[in-house]
Structures are given as structure tokens and as C-alpha cells.
Amino acid sequence: MATMADVARSAGVSVATVSHVLNGTRPVLPHTRQAVLDAVDALGYTPNTLARSLVTSRTRSIGLAVSAISNPYFTEILQGVEAAALEAGYSLLIADPHDDPRHERKVVQLLHERRVDGMIVAPSADPGDLVGYLRRHAVPTVFLDRLVDASVPEDVPPGDGAGGAAALGAPGFDQVCAESAAPTALLVTHLAELGHRRIALVAGLPGLSTTSERVSGYQEGLAVAGLAYDERLLVSGNSESAGAERATAALLGLPDPPTALVTANNAMTIGALRALRRHGRSVPDDIALCCFDDFAWADLFSPRLTAIAQPSRELGAHAVRVLLDRLAEPDRPARTLRLPCTFVHRTSCGCPEEPGPAGADGHTASSTLSERGTAT
């Protein structure tokens, strides 16, 4: 097995120069750097990652904890995380917390014990124990997709039943998510412009920031359209297909059922469609449908699904970059990044088919990435 000294002799440089090239610890002249890389390739040299980690206290690995990895949305986020991590020379250790606060705390601890340099976590609806662990051990962490409110003081006891994400502060943690409220409001106002007056929302798991923001957007959209809020038209699908199927069936059983439906994630869209088919309702003739989350086969349904597309891969890539910034500058102010979503206008809302390629008629719901600091 070739050693770093062998690479240095082959390239005609010092061992220190080889180390600087491979670890990026100091600028090296381009021709020297290329000579080192050519020698590495010719000799088949493989860096001893374990030895390097003992010297630098870094493993060049990132822990990723996201639930429902089988969900296409999180699968695409994972692809974004993996690509950005690989580009930066980092490996991934992945765990699925299953949206269970106790399991979440356990898997994050296991990742931490593997000496990952930092974490990217999509928190559960009650992340008190998780936040407490990350704070106590000063683990560099980026919360992804679901935010933890930073406005509440740190001395709120974890797990006190005070309301999950909304009840816990996260000073010092960076966060990356997509816009939720404004795109949901856009779906509601679009349906209202088509003449619908009873618009229902199948919302996600209570306690998640994404759920509360989409509920707020739903209510905002109703207000903008001049429609009264009817609490019977707001139901929870618990972010899963089976829950959305039950919730949609309950809506259809109302004395005055909705004429339009908004589903708050892709899994719940599938459940809602099952319920509509089981009850003999046609989309959009009997009921219009718009969904939060676009997915690969949304354009293959008949009718084609009008949807909000989240920048899932970009979310994953941004989370990695924010984490690397944190590792490089541990004392930098915490920040929250919100990425824009896209309104993909198809036909399940009741609009006629438009000419042009599928997806070409999307409209941006939010046009710029926004960034703001969080209290530290």
C-alpha cells in the first residue's frame, strides 16, 4: 500500500505539501498540486482517514437524521445532501428517527458517538430531548425542513408537553427550510378565483412547523379571498396517506362538503385521492384538488396535479453548506434560510389544459432566498 511519503517522492515535494494538497490546509501552487494529484492517482494512494481524524479531531463525516426516507420529498433532500457533502469531501451517516421523539434522541446520540463533525436533522413535533442533547454536547447542527422556534427562552423544560417545536428555543442552531405559508395561501386564492367558496385543507402532523405554517397560509388565503374560516374544513391527515384518507372521507361526509381540497404534503395527496375514488368523486368535476409537494409522477395523473414544488435538492445542498460554514466559524451568528417554492399549474384545480411542455407554466411563489439571524 502506497504511503504519503511515496506520493511525496513521486511528485518531488515534501510530505507536508502532500498533506496540504489532500487536506486543503494551505494554498499550493497549481502545478505542484497537480503533480501531487497525479502521483496519488498513479500510486493508488488512499488516505488513512482514521489516522487523520485522530490528529485533526475531525472525521469529515456528517450525521443526517430525517424521517420517512422512503418519502420522495426526503429522498430528493437526501440526494442534495449527499451530492454537496461528497463535493466537499465529507461522507454521510444516515438514520431514520421515524418522527418519534424518543427514537430521534437515540439515533442522534448514536450518530454523535460515531464522531460525526456535525448534524443535519429534520426534527420531530416534540424535539425537546433532542435540542437538550445537542446543546449539552455543543454539537454543530442544522435543522432542516422543520424549524424549531428560537423565540422562547432556553429554560423551558424539555418534554413538558408545552407544544413541541413551538415551545422550544434553539439559540445557536442554524435552520434551512422552504417557504410554506405564502405558497399555501396561493393555492387557496387560486381555487377561490375559480369560484370555490368551501375550500378544505388536509393538514399535517400537529406540532411540526411545516404544519402550523401551512395552516396559517390556508387561513391567510381564505382571508385574502374574503371567505369565512370554517373549522370543520380544516382536518388533520397526520402527514401520512392513511390519515389523509380518513380525513378526506370525513370531509366528504359533511352536510355541506367542500368543493375544493388542498393537501399539505405528497403522502396525504395519495390518501386523499384514494378516498375520493372510493366515494366516487371525480377530480376536478366533483371536487378540485391542489397539493403541497410536487413529485415525479404528479404529471402522470389524470387530471394532472396542480402543486407547490419545493426545492428539495437545493434544501439538502444548502443545509450542508450552512453546516460547513458553522464548522469553519463556530462563533458565527445563527441563521435561518428560507428557499422559494414554485407553483406548478396543471389541471386538477379545474383549469383547462394549457399549451406547452408539462411544467413550463409554473409560477414562482417566492422569488428569492431569504436569510435572517436567530437569537443566540
Side-chain angles (χ1 to χ4, degrees):
M1 182 179 293
T3 67
M4 190 178 290
D6 295 330
V7 173
R9 280 193 295 272
S10 177
V13 299
S14 68
V15 171
T17 298
V18 174
S19 176
H20 290 314
V21 170
L22 297 180
N23 297 318
T25 49
R26 196 185 71 184
V28 176
L29 291 173
H31 70 276
T32 302
R33 180 175 183 275
Q34 190 59 52
V36 170
L37 295 177
D38 289 343
V40 166
D41 185 55
L43 296 173
Y45 172 71
T46 302
N48 188 329
T49 304
L50 177 60
R52 183 171 62 187
S53 70
L54 292 174
V55 173
T56 64
S57 297
R58 291 283 182 90
T59 60
R60 296 194 73 81
S61 62
I62 294 171
L64 175 66
V66 295
S67 292
I69 291 175
S70 61
N71 184 313
Y73 170 64
F74 280 112
T75 300
E76 291 191 3
I77 282 183
L78 172 58
Q79 291 170 350
V81 170
E82 182 180 41
L86 182 63
E87 182 180 358
Y90 280 75
S91 59
L92 281 183
L93 278 70
I94 304 170
D96 188 340
H98 301 295
D99 273 331
D100 179 337
R102 287 176 296 181
H103 191 62
E104 169 182 70
R105 161 71 167 72
K106 182 184 296 184
V107 299
V108 164
Q109 180 176 346
L110 288 173
L111 289 172
H112 184 221
E113 290 172 354
R114 299 301 189 276
R115 296 173 59 89
V116 296
D117 294 338
M119 301 267 193
I120 297 174
V121 182
S124 70
D126 186 12
D129 289 343
L130 167 70
V131 171
Y133 180 88
L134 295 171
R135 280 189 182 134
R136 284 193 303 275
H137 295 277
V139 182
T141 302
V142 175
F143 288 126
L144 174 64
D145 183 59
R146 300 134 171 210
L147 304 185
V148 176
D149 188 5
S151 64
V152 179
E154 276 192 61
D155 58 0
V156 175
D160 69 347
L168 293 160
F173 293 110
D174 299 302
Q175 313 199 69
V176 176
C177 68
E179 294 285 358
S180 278
T184 306
L186 177 61
L187 293 179
V188 174
T189 55
H190 177 64
L191 290 167
E193 288 168 357
L194 296 175
H196 294 282
R197 293 297 174 263
R198 289 186 61 74
I199 303 170
L201 174 70
V202 180
L205 187 67
L208 296 178
S209 66
T210 47
T211 297
S212 60
E213 290 183 3
R214 289 168 200 175
V215 168
S216 295
Y218 166 69
Q219 294 172 331
E220 177 189 343
L222 292 175
V224 169
L227 301 178
Y229 168 64
D230 183 344
E231 63 181 11
R232 296 173 300 173
L233 297 181
L234 174 59
V235 294
S236 176
N238 288 321
S239 298
E240 60 181 14
S241 177
E245 187 172 354
R246 291 190 295 268
T248 303
L251 288 169
L252 297 177
L254 291 173
D256 189 7
T259 63
L261 183 63
V262 175
T263 53
N265 78 3
N266 54 18
M268 292 191 292
T269 299
I270 300 301
L273 286 169
R274 284 201 187 101
L276 294 173
R277 183 181 63 185
R278 183 159 51 88
H279 286 79
R281 305 298 174 89
S282 172
V283 177
D285 296 335
D286 298 324
I287 185 168
L289 175 66
C290 291
C291 51
F292 206 106
D293 280 343
D294 197 22
F295 43 98
W297 54 89
D299 193 46
L300 301 179
F301 281 86
S302 180
R304 298 163 58 230
L305 297 179
T306 294
I308 293 296
Q310 297 194 77
S312 46
R313 293 195 186 196
E314 289 83 354
L315 285 168
H318 273 286
V320 171
R321 294 178 192 124
V322 169
L323 179 59
L324 295 182
D325 288 345
R326 172 63 54 197
L327 293 174
E329 299 180 61
D331 297 326
R332 67 177 297 151
R335 53 181 170 160
T336 295
L337 299 184
R338 285 185 175 271
L339 275 64
C341 293
T342 301
F343 174 43
V344 185
H345 189 191
R346 300 189 180 107
T347 57
S348 64
C349 55
C351 291
E353 191 74 50
E354 294 185 9
D361 50 351
H363 305 288
T364 302
S366 314
S367 58
T368 58
L369 177 147
S370 62
E371 176 177 340
R372 64 171 183 272
T374 54
T376 57

